[in-house]
Amino acid sequence: MEGSFFSFHFLPALLIFLSLTSYINLSSAARPAADKASTEFIRTSCGTTTYPRLCYTSLSAHASVIQTSPKLLADTALAVTLSTARSTSSLMSKMVQSHGLKPREVAAMQDCVEELSDSVDQLRKAMGEMTQIKGSNFGPVMNDIQTWVSAALTDEDTCTDGFAGNAMNGNLKTAVRARVVNMAHLTSNALGLINGYASLHN
């Protein structure tokens, strides 16, 4: 009798334990599958950008956030680009104040800092517009976003053009240009993903 009483009361607890265990195992199995789907989605989407390898390496760490959403992909690409733009702009501002720079190097750097500051502002505005997207205003808001990101890319390209001549020494030019070019490539990729997201609603 005691055995049957124990079994009767223990059975529900055992069933709950088994169901929880199964749920945990299924969740654990589903998570890698979901992550794999997300990373494949990112890889495929990045394949349409100008710099697919950079696109994938910059976004794959955010797969759990992006999942398989074109909007979240565009959002994240823009956020990553803005973060990089801010850090690059800040570094450039500090470098302008470095001792030992020649007057022509300072002038070239100051021009670039101004362009990058504009670029950061434009990317920030684009990020703000992304939060305003609704079904009813999708077209006009998306046009604004594409305009802001395109303008940011133009400013970044103008900055890199300033390194084309002999305004800077070799080492400084190489270090600065590498950072700005990376920022421009991220911006180009973000614009490509934003355009891809926009095309889904045309």
Side-chain angles (χ1 to χ4, degrees):
M1 182 73 179
E2 288 182 4
S4 60
F5 176 81
F6 177 79
S7 299
F8 177 77
H9 285 274
F10 180 70
L11 185 59
L14 178 61
L15 289 173
I16 291 171
F17 173 76
L18 289 174
S19 63
L20 283 173
T21 304
S22 299
Y23 174 78
I24 291 168
N25 288 337
L26 285 171
S27 298
S28 298
R31 200 175 302 119
D35 288 347
K36 184 176 181 181
S38 299
T39 54
E40 282 306 309
F41 168 72
I42 294 169
R43 191 189 304 278
T44 301
S45 300
C46 283
T48 65
T49 64
T50 310
Y51 309 99
R53 182 177 295 180
L54 175 64
C55 176
Y56 180 74
T57 57
S58 65
L59 296 176
S60 57
H62 307 283
S64 61
V65 173
I66 294 168
Q67 300 175 38
T68 56
S69 165
K71 183 181 188 303
L72 291 175
L73 180 66
D75 279 341
T76 306
L78 196 50
V80 168
T81 301
L82 178 57
S83 176
T84 302
R86 280 176 169 157
S87 62
T88 302
S89 180
S90 176
L91 177 66
M92 294 281 285
S93 296
K94 292 175 183 177
M95 289 178 71
V96 169
Q97 301 169 14
S98 300
H99 297 292
L101 291 180
K102 298 174 183 176
R104 64 183 182 182
E105 292 174 340
V106 171
M109 290 280 283
Q110 286 175 334
D111 288 343
C112 192
V113 165
E114 188 174 336
E115 298 289 348
L116 293 187
S117 177
D118 288 344
S119 180
V120 168
D121 189 48
Q122 288 149 354
L123 290 169
R124 182 181 56 77
K125 288 176 179 175
M127 278 289 295
E129 290 288 299
M130 285 292 277
T131 65
Q132 303 301 315
I133 290 179
K134 298 172 185 174
S136 58
N137 67 4
F138 186 91
V141 173
M142 183 53 69
N143 285 338
D144 288 344
I145 292 168
Q146 291 167 313
T147 298
W148 286 123
V149 179
S150 295
L153 184 57
T154 298
D155 283 331
E156 292 157 12
D157 287 341
T158 301
C159 175
T160 56
D161 289 344
F163 306 142
N166 297 317
M168 294 186 182
N169 68 49
N171 292 334
L172 181 62
K173 181 190 294 187
T174 300
V176 171
R177 191 175 187 281
R179 285 185 173 273
V180 179
V181 166
N182 179 67
M183 175 179 161
H185 288 181
L186 286 172
T187 306
S188 174
N189 285 343
L191 181 58
L193 295 174
I194 288 168
N195 290 341
Y197 172 50
S199 69
L200 297 175
H201 293 259
N202 290 338

